Amino acid sequence: MATAKVKTLDDLFLNELKDMYNAENQLLRALPKMAKKAKTEELRDALETHAEETQRQIERLEKVFQEIDQAAKGKTCHAMKGLIEEGNEIMEETSDDPVRDAGIISAAQKVEHYEIASYGTLVTFARNLGHNKAADLLEETLNEEKKTDKLLTEIAENGINQEAE
Ligand code: FE
Ligand code: FE
Ligand code: FE
């Protein structure tokens, strides 16, 4: 077993922050690829808009690192790697456009849910540690992830799933 480097809640907070910094950077590269494969304009737009949002979320994370006097540094997020891999897999395995779009939505929502869970935890940790400015910044991102998840549900319900049937 590796020696314990994460001893305090402060360490855990920083660890999770690095994880999300890496996760968002992975996503920044993956989202445009998903958008390109999406056939429905609504879905393509949503993914492109969220790619731009992701860029701002990365900058927001850099502000959070600053807030706690730490260098902005990533640590491989294995979960995001896996989620993106699954997204690529489903895009390769689908031949029919509406079915592929439904698959892209499914993959994108898994990503958003991972982010919602992660940012939810980060906000709570930040508040508990008294980093209120950092908590506010993280909460802004949390809300964007929730909004994106809802939008993807709406797009799915507005027709892609029916078309895929
Ligand atoms: Fe994000
Ligand atoms: Fe992670
Ligand atoms: Fe997101």
Side-chain angles (χ1 to χ4, degrees), residues 27 50 57 112 115 145:
L27 259 179
H50 198 51
Q57 292 175 350
E112 294 314 306
E115 294 187 288
E145 312 296 19

Side-chain angles (χ1 to χ4, degrees), residues 58-106:
I58 289 168
E59 289 160 17
R60 214 175 274 139
L61 281 173
E62 287 163 358
K63 278 190 206 155
V64 173
F65 280 110
Q66 254 177 32
E67 278 299 315
I68 59 166
D69 294 312
Q70 295 286 340
K73 227 179 103 192
K75 178 182 185 223
T76 305
C77 175
H78 299 285
M80 190 56 77
K81 233 178 168 174
L83 289 170
I84 291 170
E85 249 169 54
E86 285 190 6
N88 288 337
E89 214 170 61
I90 200 68
M91 290 192 289
E92 279 164 25
E93 286 170 352
T94 44
S95 51
D96 185 53
D97 289 336
V99 176
R100 184 183 302 116
D101 277 6
I104 290 173
I105 292 183
S106 156

Side-chain angles (χ1 to χ4, degrees), residues 24 27 31 50 53-54 57 108 111-112 115 119 141 144-146 148:
E24 295 286 16
L27 259 179
L31 281 169
H50 198 51
E53 240 163 19
T54 298
Q57 292 175 350
V111 164
E112 294 314 306
E115 294 187 288
Y119 281 109
T141 297
E144 283 175 0
E145 312 296 19
K146 286 182 181 167
T148 302

